[in-house]
Amino acid sequence: MLRFIHIYFSKDKSLYLSIKNILGFYPENVFLYRTAFTHSSVNQQSSGGHLINNERLEYLGDAVFSLVVADFLYKKYPLAGEGFLTEMRSKIVSRRTLNHIAHKMGLSELVWRRKGVVNSFKSIDGDTLEALVGAIYIDKGYEFAKRIIIKRILQEYLDIHDVENREWNYKSKLLNAMAKRRKTVSFNVVKTTGTGARKLYHIEVVIDKTVVGKGQDFSIKAAEQIAAERAYEQLNLGSDD
């Protein structure tokens, strides 16, 4: 009862209720979720002078979401090969899919951002979803986050059959587009984190010596696809199809 009284009179009452409505639980540390919905266009400053926005949570949530998706696919497709599983995971963690899921969840209504910022940040919804996953992971732990991602996000907002049948190869699309423009493209592994099956590859797409896209995943191939997609969006080479 005391908890509900606290929520009712909290300045974050609407955020508590939104999380409960969308994901089925009340936050323990509501500051994490407030941060998850704070876009970098409206940076807040802590008492120590540090900027507060959702970019660090986005980074963490990206890795957690990818790991959960890998586990989910491994169990859903027990006879599928590594290539199929890798491509499916790449499709699910792509900007297109994350933006679509976040939009259906209504996350864009909760993001605190500078007015008019939407057009210049095409992946804002998907980034917010990753930040939200990061907040859940810190607040509730991995097993709880895994359950929420599978039950309340993937199974409710993702059409797995549509994803399975979707043509998706941003690396080839990017290479073809740049070849027509006579530009050089390279995919570079800038670092790896973790070990064994949890080794995370961090990829940068470099076009004519300029970094235009970054991606990370548990395989180099998947990380390249994610980085290529982000580069494709950054360069406004065409709409998602």
Side-chain angles (χ1 to χ4, degrees):
M1 179 62 71
L2 290 177
R3 176 167 174 74
F4 291 109
I5 293 174
H6 167 74
I7 290 173
Y8 186 82
F9 288 103
S10 170
K11 67 177 181 179
D12 293 305
K13 175 184 175 181
S14 62
L15 181 56
Y16 274 111
L17 296 179
S18 293
I19 297 298
K20 174 65 174 176
N21 182 54
I22 295 170
L23 297 174
F25 69 90
Y26 289 113
E28 295 294 334
N29 183 351
V30 74
F31 172 76
L32 288 169
Y33 299 84
R34 196 187 319 138
T35 303
F37 290 111
T38 301
H39 189 258
S40 59
S41 62
V42 287
N43 283 323
Q44 299 296 294
Q45 197 167 53
S46 69
S47 58
H50 302 292
L51 294 179
I52 300 174
N53 58 52
N54 65 7
E55 290 180 346
R56 282 172 53 83
L57 285 174
E58 177 194 336
Y59 160 80
L60 179 61
D62 183 5
V64 173
F65 191 80
S66 184
L67 179 58
V68 172
V69 168
D71 189 6
F72 170 75
L73 293 172
Y74 185 83
K75 293 171 181 174
K76 183 173 181 61
Y77 299 98
L79 302 180
E82 184 270 343
F84 172 84
L85 295 174
T86 295
E87 183 170 330
M88 281 292 290
R89 182 179 60 195
S90 297
K91 290 179 181 180
I92 293 174
V93 302
S94 72
R95 292 298 97 184
R96 172 185 177 178
T97 303
L98 292 181
N99 285 339
H100 181 68
I101 291 174
H103 180 73
K104 290 177 70 175
M105 291 174 68
L107 299 189
S108 59
E109 302 300 319
L110 301 175
V111 180
W112 186 22
R113 60 192 166 206
R114 178 168 47 82
K115 187 176 181 180
V117 81
V118 177
N119 290 334
S120 56
F121 292 88
K122 293 184 179 180
S123 63
I124 186 171
D125 289 347
D127 294 345
T128 300
L129 174 57
E130 290 178 331
L132 177 58
V133 168
I136 297 170
Y137 170 72
I138 295 175
D139 188 36
K140 300 284 192 175
Y142 175 75
E143 290 301 327
F144 185 93
K146 176 182 174 181
R147 186 165 65 252
I148 291 297
I149 292 168
I150 293 175
K151 299 292 185 182
R152 301 301 296 250
I153 298 177
L154 296 179
Q155 292 182 349
E156 287 198 22
Y157 298 102
L158 181 71
D159 185 337
I160 195 69
H161 299 295
D162 175 67
V163 173
E164 187 174 343
N165 295 321
R166 184 191 308 161
E167 290 292 333
W168 190 83
N169 192 334
Y170 275 93
K171 184 176 180 180
S172 292
K173 291 168 71 172
L174 180 66
L175 290 172
N176 289 337
M178 292 301 99
K180 292 177 182 178
R181 292 164 174 77
R182 300 181 184 278
K183 293 182 178 292
T184 60
V185 182
S186 62
F187 290 80
N188 304 325
V189 178
V190 293
K191 67 176 180 178
T192 60
T193 55
T195 58
R198 294 193 176 189
K199 181 181 289 186
L200 197 63
Y201 296 91
H202 300 255
I203 299 287
E204 288 183 348
V205 179
V206 179
I207 298 178
D208 287 350
K209 299 182 180 181
T210 300
V211 176
V212 293
K214 298 180 180 181
Q216 61 184 43
D217 202 278
F218 297 97
S219 79
I220 293 176
K221 180 180 177 181
E224 287 179 343
Q225 287 288 0
I226 295 167
E229 183 194 14
R230 292 175 179 175
Y232 201 84
E233 288 186 349
Q234 178 69 24
L235 297 170
N236 293 314
L237 294 176
S239 60
D240 286 319
D241 50 11

